[in-house]
Amino acid sequence: HGGNHRLRYTTAQMKPYVFREVEGKPEYLFDSFLFLEIVTKANGKEYDFGVELSYRSVPNKTEWEALLKETFAIGRGPDAVEHTIDSLVRLGYPPPTKRKIFFALPNPIYGNKNWGSINGKKLDLGLLKDRFAAAKWYVDQIEHIWKKKKYKYMELCGFYWLHETIDTYNQDNLLVDRVGNLVKEMNRDFIWVPYYGAQRAHEWKEQGFTRAYQQPNYFFDTKSPMTILTGAIDFALRYNMDLEFEYDGRIAQEVYASRFYDYIDKFQEKGVWDKKQVAYYDGGGGWYEMSASKKTEMKKMAKTLGDIIVERQKRLK
């Protein structure tokens, strides 16, 4: 949420994430929402908030501020979740718990000397203390905006480290440790979703995260063998991590739909549905497309995963 190529996440677009209707009554679905953005375009440039790449620009404070503005745009994103729940409460269907909200922290990319200033001091992101200052500034901005919003049905639960590996060469391990201490001192969770094979994924707890979800990275490449999925699950189980379930807008294609069901089957086979938290990589609208589709197979997929989510929610009560 936040890039100009995404859904705007209006109330109508967020609705299917919050609940589904069965026999005229609402059933709550996802109990937590992570709002993040990786890439956005502005002024003819493409910016990456997670990593420095030769074909993208490094975002500065100006782009970070623009991301904050989009994240909390009136009537969209978190606002839309709140409005949707409020409409259900007015009909007599309150949520079983407050919905948990997390926000991604842009990576203060190492070596950037043009990021901008805080309180009149220009930051040099080649310095660990200045990288931490930039991250802390973003956390403080989120906290400030959140308090002003005065949401009734959601709680700010934590922050997500956007970079999907720990770049020890640029001392990201030291930076993440400091940011983690800051977040935990605020009684917030500090979560991470590393890609399969990421540096220090097996040491996620020592690195300062309160919870980590392993990405299988199986859905995205139709040439990926099943061992990519099963290997990621086994790795997560070995190191006490949770799992990520992945899909995106390509879900309407048969070859990708089969992979969607592979996740369901292997999570069942290895006990993930019974004993682990599951994060869902939506690809910026995949669930909305499934839920809104009139195609039989898409409706079947939405119902199949929806049934699992609803049942897991019932077990939490």
Side-chain angles (χ1 to χ4, degrees), residues 172-204:
D172 280 10
N173 54 316
L174 301 180
L175 173 62
V176 169
D177 184 64
R178 291 190 65 180
V179 175
N181 287 335
L182 167 70
V183 171
K184 286 180 286 189
E185 286 171 2
M186 301 166 67
N187 293 317
R188 307 291 193 201
D189 279 333
F190 190 42
I191 63 174
W192 189 39
V193 187
Y195 60 74
Y196 191 29
Q199 282 190 65
R200 305 204 68 177
H202 67 294
E203 298 176 310
W204 63 270

mmCIF file of all heavy atoms in Angstrom, residues 172-204:
data_model
loop_
_atom_site.group_PDB
_atom_site.id
_atom_site.type_symbol
_atom_site.label_atom_id
_atom_site.label_comp_id
_atom_site.label_asym_id
_atom_site.label_seq_id
_atom_site.Cartn_x
_atom_site.Cartn_y
_atom_site.Cartn_z
ATOM 1 N N ASP A 172 24.107 -4.020 8.707
ATOM 2 C CA ASP A 172 22.660 -4.045 8.948
ATOM 3 C C ASP A 172 22.328 -4.845 10.205
ATOM 4 O O ASP A 172 21.316 -4.592 10.856
ATOM 5 C CB ASP A 172 21.932 -4.652 7.748
ATOM 6 C CG ASP A 172 21.763 -3.654 6.612
ATOM 7 O OD1 ASP A 172 22.366 -2.573 6.692
ATOM 8 O OD2 ASP A 172 21.033 -3.963 5.655
ATOM 9 N N ASN A 173 23.180 -5.815 10.556
ATOM 10 C CA ASN A 173 22.939 -6.575 11.781
ATOM 11 C C ASN A 173 22.968 -5.672 13.007
ATOM 12 O O ASN A 173 22.162 -5.824 13.933
ATOM 13 C CB ASN A 173 23.970 -7.695 11.919
ATOM 14 C CG ASN A 173 25.405 -7.203 11.834
ATOM 15 O OD1 ASN A 173 25.736 -6.377 10.980
ATOM 16 N ND2 ASN A 173 26.262 -7.713 12.701
ATOM 17 N N LEU A 174 23.862 -4.692 13.015
ATOM 18 C CA LEU A 174 23.943 -3.755 14.138
ATOM 19 C C LEU A 174 22.765 -2.787 14.128
ATOM 20 O O LEU A 174 22.198 -2.471 15.178
ATOM 21 C CB LEU A 174 25.256 -2.973 14.081
ATOM 22 C CG LEU A 174 26.536 -3.815 14.111
ATOM 23 C CD1 LEU A 174 27.768 -2.910 14.041
ATOM 24 C CD2 LEU A 174 26.581 -4.684 15.366
ATOM 25 N N LEU A 175 22.386 -2.344 12.944
ATOM 26 C CA LEU A 175 21.261 -1.421 12.824
ATOM 27 C C LEU A 175 19.962 -2.094 13.260
ATOM 28 O O LEU A 175 19.183 -1.527 14.044
ATOM 29 C CB LEU A 175 21.127 -0.938 11.379
ATOM 30 C CG LEU A 175 19.894 -0.093 11.054
ATOM 31 C CD1 LEU A 175 19.888 1.193 11.862
ATOM 32 C CD2 LEU A 175 19.816 0.208 9.559
ATOM 33 N N VAL A 176 19.722 -3.315 12.766
ATOM 34 C CA VAL A 176 18.485 -4.017 13.095
ATOM 35 C C VAL A 176 18.401 -4.289 14.591
ATOM 36 O O VAL A 176 17.331 -4.180 15.196
ATOM 37 C CB VAL A 176 18.387 -5.332 12.283
ATOM 38 C CG1 VAL A 176 17.254 -6.210 12.791
ATOM 39 C CG2 VAL A 176 18.188 -5.021 10.806
ATOM 40 N N ASP A 177 19.526 -4.614 15.202
ATOM 41 C CA ASP A 177 19.543 -4.850 16.641
ATOM 42 C C ASP A 177 19.110 -3.597 17.405
ATOM 43 O O ASP A 177 18.313 -3.667 18.347
ATOM 44 C CB ASP A 177 20.949 -5.280 17.074
ATOM 45 C CG ASP A 177 21.015 -5.637 18.546
ATOM 46 O OD1 ASP A 177 20.363 -6.609 18.944
ATOM 47 O OD2 ASP A 177 21.710 -4.929 19.301
ATOM 48 N N ARG A 178 19.604 -2.433 16.994
ATOM 49 C CA ARG A 178 19.245 -1.178 17.665
ATOM 50 C C ARG A 178 17.772 -0.825 17.426
ATOM 51 O O ARG A 178 17.073 -0.398 18.345
ATOM 52 C CB ARG A 178 20.138 -0.028 17.179
ATOM 53 C CG ARG A 178 21.581 -0.139 17.636
ATOM 54 C CD ARG A 178 22.363 1.126 17.345
ATOM 55 N NE ARG A 178 21.853 2.261 18.107
ATOM 56 C CZ ARG A 178 22.362 3.492 18.037
ATOM 57 N NH1 ARG A 178 23.386 3.753 17.228
ATOM 58 N NH2 ARG A 178 21.854 4.470 18.752
ATOM 59 N N VAL A 179 17.319 -0.995 16.197
ATOM 60 C CA VAL A 179 15.914 -0.701 15.897
ATOM 61 C C VAL A 179 15.007 -1.661 16.670
ATOM 62 O O VAL A 179 13.969 -1.257 17.211
ATOM 63 C CB VAL A 179 15.639 -0.794 14.381
ATOM 64 C CG1 VAL A 179 14.150 -0.616 14.100
ATOM 65 C CG2 VAL A 179 16.452 0.261 13.629
ATOM 66 N N GLY A 180 15.418 -2.929 16.741
ATOM 67 C CA GLY A 180 14.637 -3.906 17.492
ATOM 68 C C GLY A 180 14.511 -3.538 18.958
ATOM 69 O O GLY A 180 13.431 -3.657 19.559
ATOM 70 N N ASN A 181 15.591 -3.088 19.557
ATOM 71 C CA ASN A 181 15.541 -2.662 20.958
ATOM 72 C C ASN A 181 14.598 -1.482 21.136
ATOM 73 O O ASN A 181 13.828 -1.432 22.108
ATOM 74 C CB ASN A 181 16.948 -2.287 21.444
ATOM 75 C CG ASN A 181 17.835 -3.501 21.647
ATOM 76 O OD1 ASN A 181 17.340 -4.604 21.879
ATOM 77 N ND2 ASN A 181 19.138 -3.316 21.546
ATOM 78 N N LEU A 182 14.641 -0.536 20.212
ATOM 79 C CA LEU A 182 13.742 0.623 20.266
ATOM 80 C C LEU A 182 12.285 0.176 20.224
ATOM 81 O O LEU A 182 11.469 0.609 21.058
ATOM 82 C CB LEU A 182 14.031 1.564 19.089
ATOM 83 C CG LEU A 182 12.988 2.662 18.828
ATOM 84 C CD1 LEU A 182 13.036 3.709 19.929
ATOM 85 C CD2 LEU A 182 13.227 3.305 17.450
ATOM 86 N N VAL A 183 11.962 -0.670 19.273
ATOM 87 C CA VAL A 183 10.581 -1.112 19.089
ATOM 88 C C VAL A 183 10.089 -1.900 20.303
ATOM 89 O O VAL A 183 8.967 -1.698 20.789
ATOM 90 C CB VAL A 183 10.461 -1.948 17.796
ATOM 91 C CG1 VAL A 183 9.086 -2.605 17.703
ATOM 92 C CG2 VAL A 183 10.719 -1.072 16.571
ATOM 93 N N LYS A 184 10.933 -2.786 20.803
ATOM 94 C CA LYS A 184 10.524 -3.610 21.947
ATOM 95 C C LYS A 184 10.385 -2.782 23.226
ATOM 96 O O LYS A 184 9.538 -3.085 24.069
ATOM 97 C CB LYS A 184 11.505 -4.760 22.131
ATOM 98 C CG LYS A 184 11.338 -5.842 21.062
ATOM 99 C CD LYS A 184 12.292 -6.987 21.223
ATOM 100 C CE LYS A 184 13.696 -6.636 20.811
ATOM 101 N NZ LYS A 184 14.593 -7.813 20.765
ATOM 102 N N GLU A 185 11.197 -1.736 23.377
ATOM 103 C CA GLU A 185 11.050 -0.844 24.525
ATOM 104 C C GLU A 185 9.714 -0.115 24.494
ATOM 105 O O GLU A 185 9.212 0.327 25.527
ATOM 106 C CB GLU A 185 12.195 0.181 24.541
ATOM 107 C CG GLU A 185 13.531 -0.413 24.985
ATOM 108 C CD GLU A 185 14.682 0.561 24.786
ATOM 109 O OE1 GLU A 185 14.421 1.713 24.343
ATOM 110 O OE2 GLU A 185 15.839 0.177 25.055
ATOM 111 N N MET A 186 9.130 0.009 23.301
ATOM 112 C CA MET A 186 7.814 0.635 23.138
ATOM 113 C C MET A 186 6.685 -0.382 23.291
ATOM 114 O O MET A 186 5.523 -0.066 23.062
ATOM 115 C CB MET A 186 7.739 1.294 21.753
ATOM 116 C CG MET A 186 8.801 2.358 21.510
ATOM 117 S SD MET A 186 8.937 2.817 19.759
ATOM 118 C CE MET A 186 7.356 3.604 19.502
ATOM 119 N N ASN A 187 7.036 -1.615 23.653
ATOM 120 C CA ASN A 187 6.073 -2.717 23.780
ATOM 121 C C ASN A 187 5.376 -3.031 22.456
ATOM 122 O O ASN A 187 4.194 -3.352 22.422
ATOM 123 C CB ASN A 187 5.037 -2.419 24.875
ATOM 124 C CG ASN A 187 5.655 -2.383 26.260
ATOM 125 O OD1 ASN A 187 6.471 -3.233 26.604
ATOM 126 N ND2 ASN A 187 5.281 -1.389 27.051
ATOM 127 N N ARG A 188 6.146 -2.915 21.385
ATOM 128 C CA ARG A 188 5.661 -3.293 20.068
ATOM 129 C C ARG A 188 6.414 -4.522 19.585
ATOM 130 O O ARG A 188 7.557 -4.765 19.993
ATOM 131 C CB ARG A 188 5.878 -2.164 19.052
ATOM 132 C CG ARG A 188 5.337 -0.802 19.433
ATOM 133 C CD ARG A 188 3.839 -0.748 19.455
ATOM 134 N NE ARG A 188 3.340 0.626 19.513
ATOM 135 C CZ ARG A 188 2.139 0.964 19.932
ATOM 136 N NH1 ARG A 188 1.291 0.024 20.337
ATOM 137 N NH2 ARG A 188 1.750 2.228 19.956
ATOM 138 N N ASP A 189 5.801 -5.281 18.698
ATOM 139 C CA ASP A 189 6.481 -6.407 18.072
ATOM 140 C C ASP A 189 7.381 -5.910 16.942
ATOM 141 O O ASP A 189 7.102 -4.895 16.295
ATOM 142 C CB ASP A 189 5.467 -7.396 17.503
ATOM 143 C CG ASP A 189 4.912 -8.329 18.562
ATOM 144 O OD1 ASP A 189 5.612 -8.578 19.557
ATOM 145 O OD2 ASP A 189 3.778 -8.803 18.398
ATOM 146 N N PHE A 190 8.451 -6.654 16.710
ATOM 147 C CA PHE A 190 9.377 -6.350 15.629
ATOM 148 C C PHE A 190 9.459 -7.607 14.774
ATOM 149 O O PHE A 190 10.034 -8.621 15.189
ATOM 150 C CB PHE A 190 10.746 -5.988 16.197
ATOM 151 C CG PHE A 190 11.715 -5.422 15.191
ATOM 152 C CD1 PHE A 190 11.305 -4.498 14.230
ATOM 153 C CD2 PHE A 190 13.057 -5.790 15.217
ATOM 154 C CE1 PHE A 190 12.203 -3.959 13.314
ATOM 155 C CE2 PHE A 190 13.967 -5.253 14.303
ATOM 156 C CZ PHE A 190 13.535 -4.339 13.358
ATOM 157 N N ILE A 191 8.841 -7.579 13.594
ATOM 158 C CA ILE A 191 8.701 -8.787 12.781
ATOM 159 C C ILE A 191 9.522 -8.702 11.495
ATOM 160 O O ILE A 191 9.894 -7.618 11.028
ATOM 161 C CB ILE A 191 7.221 -9.074 12.454
ATOM 162 C CG1 ILE A 191 6.611 -7.942 11.614
ATOM 163 C CG2 ILE A 191 6.419 -9.278 13.732
ATOM 164 C CD1 ILE A 191 5.198 -8.250 11.140
ATOM 165 N N TRP A 192 9.764 -9.883 10.925
ATOM 166 C CA TRP A 192 10.623 -9.996 9.740
ATOM 167 C C TRP A 192 10.120 -11.147 8.888
ATOM 168 O O TRP A 192 9.633 -12.151 9.411
ATOM 169 C CB TRP A 192 12.061 -10.257 10.188
ATOM 170 C CG TRP A 192 13.112 -10.204 9.123
ATOM 171 C CD1 TRP A 192 13.191 -9.340 8.066
ATOM 172 C CD2 TRP A 192 14.279 -11.033 9.053
ATOM 173 N NE1 TRP A 192 14.336 -9.586 7.338
ATOM 174 C CE2 TRP A 192 15.016 -10.610 7.924
ATOM 175 C CE3 TRP A 192 14.765 -12.078 9.838
ATOM 176 C CZ2 TRP A 192 16.218 -11.213 7.551
ATOM 177 C CZ3 TRP A 192 15.960 -12.684 9.471
ATOM 178 C CH2 TRP A 192 16.685 -12.249 8.329
ATOM 179 N N VAL A 193 10.231 -10.991 7.561
ATOM 180 C CA VAL A 193 9.823 -12.061 6.642
ATOM 181 C C VAL A 193 10.966 -12.286 5.644
ATOM 182 O O VAL A 193 10.934 -11.779 4.524
ATOM 183 C CB VAL A 193 8.509 -11.709 5.913
ATOM 184 C CG1 VAL A 193 8.006 -12.901 5.106
ATOM 185 C CG2 VAL A 193 7.430 -11.269 6.908
ATOM 186 N N PRO A 194 11.994 -13.028 6.048
ATOM 187 C CA PRO A 194 13.146 -13.232 5.166
ATOM 188 C C PRO A 194 12.835 -14.156 3.999
ATOM 189 O O PRO A 194 11.997 -15.057 4.108
ATOM 190 C CB PRO A 194 14.182 -13.876 6.103
ATOM 191 C CG PRO A 194 13.358 -14.591 7.129
ATOM 192 C CD PRO A 194 12.160 -13.714 7.338
ATOM 193 N N TYR A 195 13.532 -13.930 2.884
ATOM 194 C CA TYR A 195 13.380 -14.851 1.766
ATOM 195 C C TYR A 195 14.132 -16.146 2.082
ATOM 196 O O TYR A 195 14.941 -16.215 3.016
ATOM 197 C CB TYR A 195 13.855 -14.232 0.454
ATOM 198 C CG TYR A 195 15.307 -13.791 0.389
ATOM 199 C CD1 TYR A 195 16.347 -14.706 0.295
ATOM 200 C CD2 TYR A 195 15.640 -12.432 0.383
ATOM 201 C CE1 TYR A 195 17.675 -14.303 0.215
ATOM 202 C CE2 TYR A 195 16.963 -12.011 0.307
ATOM 203 C CZ TYR A 195 17.973 -12.946 0.222
ATOM 204 O OH TYR A 195 19.284 -12.548 0.159
ATOM 205 N N TYR A 196 13.826 -17.176 1.331
ATOM 206 C CA TYR A 196 14.437 -18.484 1.582
ATOM 207 C C TYR A 196 15.930 -18.416 1.245
ATOM 208 O O TYR A 196 16.305 -18.144 0.111
ATOM 209 C CB TYR A 196 13.727 -19.545 0.736
ATOM 210 C CG TYR A 196 14.079 -20.972 1.089
ATOM 211 C CD1 TYR A 196 14.446 -21.336 2.380
ATOM 212 C CD2 TYR A 196 14.024 -21.971 0.119
ATOM 213 C CE1 TYR A 196 14.749 -22.648 2.699
ATOM 214 C CE2 TYR A 196 14.318 -23.290 0.424
ATOM 215 C CZ TYR A 196 14.687 -23.616 1.717
ATOM 216 O OH TYR A 196 14.997 -24.929 2.022
ATOM 217 N N GLY A 197 16.776 -18.645 2.251
ATOM 218 C CA GLY A 197 18.218 -18.564 2.068
ATOM 219 C C GLY A 197 18.814 -17.245 2.517
ATOM 220 O O GLY A 197 20.019 -17.010 2.315
ATOM 221 N N ALA A 198 18.017 -16.388 3.124
ATOM 222 C CA ALA A 198 18.500 -15.065 3.564
ATOM 223 C C ALA A 198 19.546 -15.200 4.665
ATOM 224 O O ALA A 198 19.505 -16.130 5.482
ATOM 225 C CB ALA A 198 17.331 -14.225 4.071
ATOM 226 N N GLN A 199 20.481 -14.237 4.671
ATOM 227 C CA GLN A 199 21.470 -14.193 5.738
ATOM 228 C C GLN A 199 20.792 -14.080 7.098
ATOM 229 O O GLN A 199 19.871 -13.297 7.270
ATOM 230 C CB GLN A 199 22.398 -12.975 5.571
ATOM 231 C CG GLN A 199 23.475 -13.102 4.525
ATOM 232 C CD GLN A 199 24.471 -11.955 4.628
ATOM 233 O OE1 GLN A 199 25.189 -11.816 5.609
ATOM 234 N NE2 GLN A 199 24.511 -11.127 3.595
ATOM 235 N N ARG A 200 21.253 -14.873 8.035
ATOM 236 C CA ARG A 200 20.875 -14.820 9.443
ATOM 237 C C ARG A 200 19.401 -15.152 9.705
ATOM 238 O O ARG A 200 18.904 -14.891 10.794
ATOM 239 C CB ARG A 200 21.228 -13.458 10.062
ATOM 240 C CG ARG A 200 22.691 -13.070 9.895
ATOM 241 C CD ARG A 200 23.166 -12.100 10.933
ATOM 242 N NE ARG A 200 23.211 -12.724 12.257
ATOM 243 C CZ ARG A 200 23.661 -12.089 13.351
ATOM 244 N NH1 ARG A 200 24.068 -10.843 13.265
ATOM 245 N NH2 ARG A 200 23.677 -12.711 14.521
ATOM 246 N N ALA A 201 18.740 -15.751 8.733
ATOM 247 C CA ALA A 201 17.341 -16.120 8.960
ATOM 248 C C ALA A 201 17.221 -17.079 10.135
ATOM 249 O O ALA A 201 16.290 -16.981 10.943
ATOM 250 C CB ALA A 201 16.745 -16.735 7.699
ATOM 251 N N HIS A 202 18.170 -18.006 10.246
ATOM 252 C CA HIS A 202 18.118 -18.978 11.343
ATOM 253 C C HIS A 202 18.422 -18.340 12.695
ATOM 254 O O HIS A 202 18.158 -18.936 13.747
ATOM 255 C CB HIS A 202 19.082 -20.134 11.065
ATOM 256 C CG HIS A 202 20.524 -19.750 11.091
ATOM 257 N ND1 HIS A 202 21.076 -18.896 10.154
ATOM 258 C CD2 HIS A 202 21.529 -20.085 11.952
ATOM 259 C CE1 HIS A 202 22.364 -18.734 10.415
ATOM 260 N NE2 HIS A 202 22.658 -19.430 11.495
ATOM 261 N N GLU A 203 18.964 -17.125 12.678
ATOM 262 C CA GLU A 203 19.284 -16.407 13.917
ATOM 263 C C GLU A 203 18.346 -15.227 14.133
ATOM 264 O O GLU A 203 18.718 -14.221 14.724
ATOM 265 C CB GLU A 203 20.735 -15.930 13.880
ATOM 266 C CG GLU A 203 21.752 -17.054 13.796
ATOM 267 C CD GLU A 203 23.188 -16.547 13.652
ATOM 268 O OE1 GLU A 203 23.426 -15.692 12.777
ATOM 269 O OE2 GLU A 203 24.053 -17.014 14.404
ATOM 270 N N TRP A 204 17.128 -15.345 13.648
ATOM 271 C CA TRP A 204 16.181 -14.228 13.693
ATOM 272 C C TRP A 204 15.942 -13.733 15.120
ATOM 273 O O TRP A 204 15.830 -12.521 15.335
ATOM 274 C CB TRP A 204 14.863 -14.631 13.039
ATOM 275 C CG TRP A 204 14.140 -15.761 13.727
ATOM 276 C CD1 TRP A 204 14.278 -17.102 13.487
ATOM 277 C CD2 TRP A 204 13.180 -15.649 14.775
ATOM 278 N NE1 TRP A 204 13.456 -17.837 14.313
ATOM 279 C CE2 TRP A 204 12.772 -16.970 15.119
ATOM 280 C CE3 TRP A 204 12.599 -14.571 15.439
ATOM 281 C CZ2 TRP A 204 11.823 -17.232 16.111
ATOM 282 C CZ3 TRP A 204 11.654 -14.823 16.428
ATOM 283 C CH2 TRP A 204 11.283 -16.137 16.757
#
